[in-house]
Amino acid sequence: MPSAMNKPNGVMKIEEIIHNETPRLLVLHDRGQEDIVRVIADVLGQAYVLVPSLDGAAGQPDNVVIGMDNGKIKKREDLRRKGRTTVTTHCIDALDLRDEEVTSYCDYEYLYTEKPFVRRDVARFLGFVLGQIKPHDDLKKKARTTLLSTTFPDVRTALPNLDILSVGADSVELRVDLLQEPTPDSPMMSVPSIRYVGEQVMLLRQRTELPIIFTTRCTKENGRFPMDDPMLFYQYLRKAVQWGCEYIDVELWLPEEIRQKLAAEKGSSRIISAWHDFSGKFKWSSAEAQQLFREGAVYGDIVKMIALSNTTEENYELEYFRSVIQTSYAHPPLSGLNMGSVGQLSRTLNKVFTPITHPLLPMIAAPGQLSAAEINSTLHSMGQMPKLDMYAIGNVRQNGQAMFFEKCLNELSLPHQLLCIERIAPGAIERFISTPTFGGAHINPPLPASASFLPKLSNAATAVGQVDTVVAHSTPSGKLLMGDNSTWKGIRATLTREFVPSAYAGQAALVLASQESQAAAAMFALMSLNIGPIYTIGFQAKGMAASNVHQFRGLDDMKKMEAPFVIISALPAEKSFIVSPLLKHYSSMVKKRESGKVFVDLSNGVRGKGDSVATATTLGWSAYGIADVNAWTTVETLRLLVGQNVPYDFVRLAAGRSLYR
């Protein structure tokens, strides 16, 4: 790796490295649907075996997925005695064979469709329920977070516009109480069935990478769930945990035994402890307010308190209450809002899961709700979001990135202006970043991390040896500039799109490049997944990263290598033609193994001879090109520069062919 990977203290720090135990899964499948077991095993990077009964699971290795027909379960209680995470799966395209009695003895329930079959949804579901993907930990680091409040009676109605609806949102709330099940014998105002709700969760998760907040509102709070049946709330919220919803919204008025039970059974899900007051008489300055927060904090990972306001002064009372809570309690965070048009100021000032709406939604979920664009505009008018100069430096006009960044700034109503500079004179960047209005920069091609004018570097930028993003952090003592690297996260997100992170642990990788700097970000991404050994063609790794990296020096070395789990080509496009023979060679070897064939081409061969991604796909590899990596890198870059989320699918949709360059 570049010399920058040598940390001054002699330790190379890899961010977010995975140290998970080997997943031990028992997968139940519907009759004739045993192929889902193979897919799950492949996503986990494991082998699998199908057994005729639970007795056949005895003695199987931990790293082997066990599959069984759920119709052959004789003693349901035995499912809890196998020492494995039990996932029951159901294909809703085929015969509906869901059995709630069997499901109640399982840890999780995965619903899927054959047409279309969304493999990335399998990876997301498994990564989350196994604790390898932790969206709550990521969101806690953000200065502001939002949730998109969907108000559709059927999620299908939202799917065509979901990409644009999600711009600026950090999570999406499924208002279960607003769903309307289209059955002739179901009254319009009744609670939808668990089966219908499960399918709605499935459809939503197939189309968005955002965390899902599962919300059930009671009749007193403009919902449909009856307050005289608390166990009904428990049944639906417990199912949400089994379906792998990242958050469940648990009302504070529910009996404590139910809230305690949900907290004990939440698994990887997080609880939003919610309290609402529609009377208009609640006072944030009262002793009751702090008592309500303390009660919510007992089982809540987030405490949400919402009251109907009548005067502007109540917003100031809320802000004082918020400051007291933040000073007095380190955990959990408070999401505090006032409803109504008078309370819109509180929605602007709230920083934790502020509910947002969108003009394309059929109605707002609560009085006074604002869109992400409206909140940003208000913050700017209040002086809380000053206009800054964002720089796009290098090949940004030619490849269309500048136009896309401008599109995002406009969509979010951010006040910043984008300045594009394609050719940089020596010393020019130092002048840009020293101006009072400097807000950040995207740099392509990246700068060496050794640049003296960057006072601070992230661990990633130091290790990779390249800076492609300069972030301007506002601190009490002034502006802090940090050089960072987004590309490695784009590569890692691509690698984990259809595989859980632990699938790569201990696996062999092959990286091709003409020089080490071309492969630096890819190597760092692989090491963050605890992969190894790594073999290289075309360059030799240096420094401490070389201990688990081996360079091929001839055909004999290549023939001795075990079949790689992943191949990454960082070769320039004109040299990408040499990749196809390697793919064909290793394809024959990989057939002997039951899982793993991942290929990433960082040039995509667009200007070279042959399309290696197409070749890899034909040979059965999970293949990704530069467009996939660039889309994820753009997502990460925007998060760093403006602190707001632009979903991957929107990037692919709106950026078009520019991502291939």
Side-chain angles (χ1 to χ4, degrees):
M1 300 296 287
S3 58
M5 292 198 74
N6 290 303
K7 299 283 286 181
N9 59 3
V11 177
M12 185 179 72
K13 183 176 180 180
I14 298 289
E15 298 178 7
E16 304 174 27
I17 199 163
I18 302 299
H19 288 295
N20 289 88
E21 296 181 1
T22 301
R24 304 178 70 250
L25 255 63
L26 169 62
V27 178
L28 307 181
H29 62 84
D30 290 336
R31 185 173 63 253
Q33 294 292 325
E34 55 274 356
D35 192 57
I36 189 65
V37 181
R38 178 194 61 79
V39 173
I40 287 175
D42 191 54
V43 167
L44 293 173
Q46 296 182 347
Y48 74 97
V49 62
L50 300 176
V51 298
S53 68
L54 287 176
D55 292 338
Q60 294 292 343
D62 288 351
N63 61 347
V64 171
V65 175
I66 298 173
M68 180 179 170
D69 188 326
N70 54 31
K72 296 181 179 180
I73 303 295
K74 294 181 179 179
K75 294 182 179 180
R76 298 164 185 154
E77 56 273 15
D78 287 347
L79 292 170
R80 295 177 177 171
R81 299 173 184 155
K82 294 302 175 184
R84 288 177 175 263
T85 300
T86 304
V87 180
T88 182
T89 63
H90 300 287
C91 177
I92 67 168
D93 291 340
L95 292 174
D96 194 339
L97 300 176
R98 280 175 275 182
D99 185 335
E100 288 301 326
E101 286 296 321
V102 172
T103 303
S104 66
Y105 285 91
C106 298
D107 297 295
Y108 299 101
E109 180 180 46
Y110 181 71
L111 307 179
Y112 64 98
T113 53
E114 282 185 312
K115 297 181 180 179
F117 181 76
V118 186
R119 179 186 165 113
R120 69 178 185 180
D121 183 48
V122 181
R124 170 182 167 177
F125 172 82
L126 291 173
F128 175 70
V129 300
L130 294 173
Q132 298 186 24
I133 299 172
K134 300 180 179 181
H136 184 62
D137 289 352
D138 294 333
L139 292 179
K140 284 193 300 184
K141 300 172 186 175
K142 290 194 64 178
R144 289 180 175 273
T145 52
T146 61
L147 64 89
L148 176 68
S149 299
T150 59
T151 53
F152 291 96
D154 187 333
V155 166
R156 293 177 182 85
T157 312
L159 298 183
N161 294 316
L162 194 57
D163 297 338
I164 186 69
L165 288 171
S166 302
V167 174
D170 296 294
S171 57
V172 57
E173 180 184 43
L174 179 64
R175 283 288 301 269
V176 177
D177 53 289
L178 296 181
L179 296 175
Q180 295 179 3
E181 188 170 4
T183 55
D185 56 345
S186 177
M188 288 291 288
M189 296 304 293
S190 66
V191 174
S193 69
I194 281 182
R195 286 174 178 256
Y196 179 72
V197 174
E199 293 172 14
Q200 294 281 295
V201 171
M202 175 201 70
L203 290 168
L204 184 58
R205 190 172 53 210
Q206 285 180 348
R207 287 296 300 272
T208 180
E209 75 255 22
L210 294 179
I212 295 174
I213 301 174
F214 188 94
T215 300
T216 53
R217 286 279 173 266
C218 65
T219 51
K220 186 179 178 181
E221 297 169 356
N222 297 330
R224 295 180 187 158
F225 279 71
M227 293 189 68
D228 59 357
D229 189 2
M231 281 305 297
L232 185 66
F233 287 82
Y234 169 79
Q235 291 169 11
Y236 279 74
L237 293 169
R238 178 72 182 95
K239 289 296 294 186
V241 172
Q242 288 189 307
W243 292 326
C245 291
E246 287 81 358
Y247 294 92
I248 56 173
D249 186 293
V250 180
E251 293 286 352
L252 188 58
W253 65 264
L254 286 170
E256 183 173 7
E257 57 267 26
I258 287 181
R259 291 184 285 122
Q260 184 180 39
K261 190 172 177 61
L262 286 169
E265 298 171 343
K266 68 180 181 180
S268 296
S269 300
R270 293 294 176 261
I271 290 176
I272 299 176
S273 182
W275 175 86
H276 297 77
D277 181 87
F278 288 82
S279 69
K281 299 177 181 179
F282 176 76
K283 297 296 181 183
W284 292 102
S285 56
S286 66
E288 179 191 9
Q290 289 203 36
Q291 178 60 30
L292 286 168
F293 177 84
R294 286 192 291 268
E295 290 179 13
V298 174
Y299 303 114
D301 298 286
I302 295 172
V303 174
K304 179 168 67 175
M305 298 176 64
I306 300 180
L308 183 64
S309 60
N310 300 303
T311 65
T312 302
E313 286 71 21
E314 289 172 279
N315 292 317
Y316 303 130
E317 292 175 3
L318 168 55
E319 292 314 306
Y320 179 74
F321 173 76
R322 196 191 312 276
S323 67
V324 170
I325 293 299
Q326 290 173 343
T327 303
S328 305
Y329 304 93
H331 177 82
L334 167 69
S335 177
L337 302 169
N338 283 325
M339 285 184 289
S341 57
V342 175
Q344 288 183 333
L345 175 62
S346 71
R347 294 181 180 273
T348 302
L349 297 177
N350 181 61
K351 295 182 179 180
V352 179
F353 273 171
T354 302
I356 59 173
T357 185
H358 193 280
L360 293 178
L361 287 171
M363 64 178 183
I364 60 174
Q369 250 183 24
L370 301 169
S371 68
E374 288 172 326
I375 289 175
N376 290 331
S377 295
T378 305
L379 285 170
H380 175 58
S381 65
M382 294 169 57
Q384 299 297 306
M385 184 182 286
K387 181 180 179 180
L388 298 173
D389 295 331
M390 299 288 178
Y391 288 85
I393 301 172
N395 304 325
V396 289
R397 285 292 185 196
Q398 179 184 356
N399 64 18
Q401 279 184 309
M403 185 181 298
F404 178 72
F405 284 155
E406 287 175 336
K407 187 182 298 185
C408 291
L409 294 179
N410 292 333
E411 182 67 30
L412 291 165
S413 289
L414 293 169
H416 316 309
Q417 68 171 338
L418 185 69
L419 303 175
C420 299
I421 303 171
E422 298 203 13
R423 294 184 180 180
I424 292 292
I429 293 183
E430 293 96 315
R431 293 196 299 272
F432 298 151
I433 68 175
S434 62
T435 60
T437 57
F438 177 78
H442 167 68
I443 306 168
N444 180 25
L447 294 172
S450 57
S452 59
F453 54 83
L454 294 172
K456 189 173 183 180
L457 297 176
S458 69
N459 290 320
T462 302
V464 174
Q466 298 168 357
V467 172
D468 57 25
T469 311
V470 180
V471 186
H473 293 289
S474 295
T475 67
S477 57
K479 187 181 296 182
L480 174 64
L481 300 180
M482 176 178 286
D484 210 334
N485 186 284
S486 300
T487 303
W488 83 272
K489 281 196 172 183
I491 296 172
R492 175 177 154 138
T494 303
L495 291 171
T496 55
R497 187 160 172 77
E498 295 183 332
F499 292 85
V500 300
S502 67
Y504 291 90
Q507 302 281 10
L510 176 61
V511 180
L512 297 85
S514 297
Q515 55 192 36
E516 190 177 7
S517 60
Q518 296 172 344
M523 297 283 279
F524 189 76
L526 290 171
M527 291 178 182
S528 77
L529 293 168
N530 207 20
I531 206 165
I534 299 175
Y535 300 92
T536 68
I537 293 179
F539 70 97
Q540 181 179 2
K542 299 176 182 178
M544 65 193 66
S547 60
N548 201 29
V549 181
H550 313 279
Q551 183 185 14
F552 281 170
R553 300 187 182 278
L555 287 175
D556 289 340
D557 288 345
M558 189 180 76
K559 291 177 181 178
K560 293 176 184 177
M561 176 194 175
E562 60 181 297
F565 189 91
V566 56
I567 296 177
I568 298 180
S569 172
L571 290 168
E574 62 271 13
K575 295 184 179 180
S576 62
F577 66 91
I578 71 172
V579 177
S580 293
L582 282 171
L583 289 168
K584 293 175 182 177
H585 169 73
Y586 286 119
S587 292
S588 60
M589 297 176 63
V590 175
K591 287 179 181 177
K592 302 174 184 177
R593 191 177 62 208
E594 295 185 356
S595 66
K597 282 196 301 184
V598 185
F599 174 68
V600 180
D601 189 348
L602 300 181
S603 75
N604 209 26
V606 173
R607 297 184 301 276
K609 298 178 180 178
D611 186 344
S612 54
V613 172
T615 300
T617 302
T618 302
L619 293 170
W621 294 68
S622 296
Y624 312 95
I626 192 63
D628 298 290
V629 174
N630 281 352
W632 282 117
T633 301
T634 300
V635 170
E636 296 296 338
T637 301
L638 287 167
R639 284 175 183 167
L640 287 172
L641 289 180
V642 298
Q644 303 209 21
N645 186 51
V646 178
Y648 167 88
D649 288 330
F650 177 78
V651 176
R652 289 301 305 264
L653 174 71
R657 292 291 302 178
S658 66
L659 290 171
Y660 289 85
R661 301 174 183 175

